[in-house]
Amino acid sequence: MPEGDTIYGAARRIRAALVGKEIASIETHRRFARDRWPERLGGRGVRSVDSKGKHLFIRFEGDLTLHSHLRMNGWWGVYERGRRWGKSPGRAWLVIRTADHEVVQFGGPVLELMTDSRSRFDHRIARLGPDILDDEFDDAAFLRRLREDDQSRGIGDALLDQRNLCGIGNLWKAEACFLAGVDPWRPLSATSDAEALAAVHAVRPLMLRSGQGGGHVRDNRVFDRAGRPCARCGTIIRARGQGDDNRTTYWCPTCQA
Ligand SMILES: [Zn+2]
């Protein structure tokens, strides 16, 4: 599942391919035929491309913004013209071409055209917490939202809630708790502000590096390592479903006591 760093990296690559470039064509899958995007976006340039958490926005001239959220199966590809795509063309929802590049969105449940103002006030976006990949992460806003949350909730589960902060997914949640030495099951009431911030600050640079490298630089210490010895202390890494969505969390019971 793409996490914030993957979307951040995709936004960087799409920005480089589209902003300031003449758009040669826009094609959509037949499921979007009635939306008439090629007609509505024809002749407009791309002003900017940005991401917030796992949401990505391509902002066109004339107050129109394409909003996408990839969930489990979506993907953004940026290809030089003439290069083979990494996925089946039948799954392409959207293709934006310039003289040099093809920007392709494959699958994903949310792909919609909206006005700029709706893209800021839409409830799915407006309720997001501070973005871990923002140029300056807002510690105070994060802590405020964390303390307004249910304090019996485990810190691991709370870090996944995009209303507390956005961009962290299941992998980075597990790594954040490990690097901060915090048990993901510890309730918020027993987790200090300093510990919560330590978890976020531990993975933020790793996520930024991953996003700047294209989303593939990963050196997981506990995620997906259940049953194997902890690289730091040798204790066997544990795994168990956590939270309402029962997402598997991984932790070292010694390093994260
Ligand atoms: Zn350990």
Side-chain angles (χ1 to χ4, degrees):
M1 180 170 182
E3 300 192 20
D5 52 318
T6 306
I7 308 303
Y8 178 89
R12 289 180 85 239
R13 285 179 289 124
I14 296 168
R15 188 180 304 131
L18 297 184
V19 174
K21 307 290 164 61
E22 189 170 335
I23 306 299
S25 72
I26 293 178
E27 283 175 36
T28 57
H29 190 273
R30 61 178 179 280
R31 67 187 275 154
F32 298 102
R34 282 203 291 179
D35 297 328
R36 300 187 304 106
W37 291 345
E39 291 90 329
R40 293 166 69 193
L41 294 173
R44 299 174 193 262
V46 172
R47 286 182 293 120
S48 60
V49 180
D50 54 284
S51 59
K52 176 142 178 138
K54 302 173 192 174
H55 298 260
L56 187 141
F57 305 91
I58 301 178
R59 302 187 189 280
F60 288 81
E61 291 165 352
D63 196 39
L64 283 175
T65 291
L66 271 169
H67 166 228
S68 89
H69 191 295
L70 303 175
R71 296 260 162 74
M72 303 302 267
N73 304 314
W75 188 255
W76 281 101
V78 178
Y79 308 100
E80 287 172 27
R81 287 289 288 266
R83 290 281 290 274
R84 262 179 77 103
W85 294 353
K87 295 186 186 299
S88 159
R91 289 191 57 224
W93 287 172
L94 172 72
V95 186
I96 305 176
R97 289 193 180 85
T98 66
D100 300 322
H101 288 98
E102 290 174 315
V103 172
V104 190
Q105 141 101 69
F106 298 96
V110 177
L111 181 64
E112 56 192 357
L113 189 61
M114 50 171 65
T115 62
D116 272 353
S117 58
R118 207 193 122 207
S119 79
R120 294 183 214 289
F121 294 112
D122 184 284
H123 69 96
R124 292 164 299 174
I125 299 154
R127 73 182 181 189
L128 293 172
D131 187 344
I132 187 166
L133 293 169
D134 220 337
D135 290 342
E136 290 187 31
F137 180 70
D138 191 339
D139 286 353
F142 161 62
L143 289 174
R144 196 162 54 238
R145 288 180 177 234
L146 198 69
R147 293 309 174 197
E148 286 166 4
D149 199 349
D150 174 357
Q151 297 299 297
S152 68
R153 212 173 175 187
I155 175 71
D157 187 34
L159 287 176
L160 266 189
D161 191 324
Q162 304 293 298
R163 292 170 296 188
N164 290 330
L165 82 168
C166 69
I168 287 190
N170 209 32
L171 181 153
W172 290 116
K173 169 211 64 181
E175 297 299 304
C177 290
F178 176 79
L179 292 171
V182 176
D183 183 337
W185 299 90
R186 192 191 299 174
L188 289 179
S189 57
T191 306
S192 70
D193 287 355
E195 286 167 329
L197 285 176
V200 172
H201 291 172
V203 287
R204 185 177 132 78
L206 304 180
M207 292 181 72
L208 279 168
R209 200 171 67 200
S210 163
Q212 284 157 2
H216 300 296
V217 187
R218 283 175 170 174
D219 177 21
N220 43 310
R221 313 288 292 273
V222 286
F223 179 79
D224 211 18
R225 294 179 56 86
R228 295 163 68 186
C230 169
R232 191 183 280 168
C233 75
T235 305
I236 298 299
I237 305 285
R238 295 187 60 191
R240 183 149 45 103
Q242 184 178 30
D244 291 343
D245 295 333
N246 203 33
R247 304 293 304 281
T248 304
T249 197
Y250 301 85
W251 76 103
C252 169
T254 301
C255 292
Q256 296 168 263

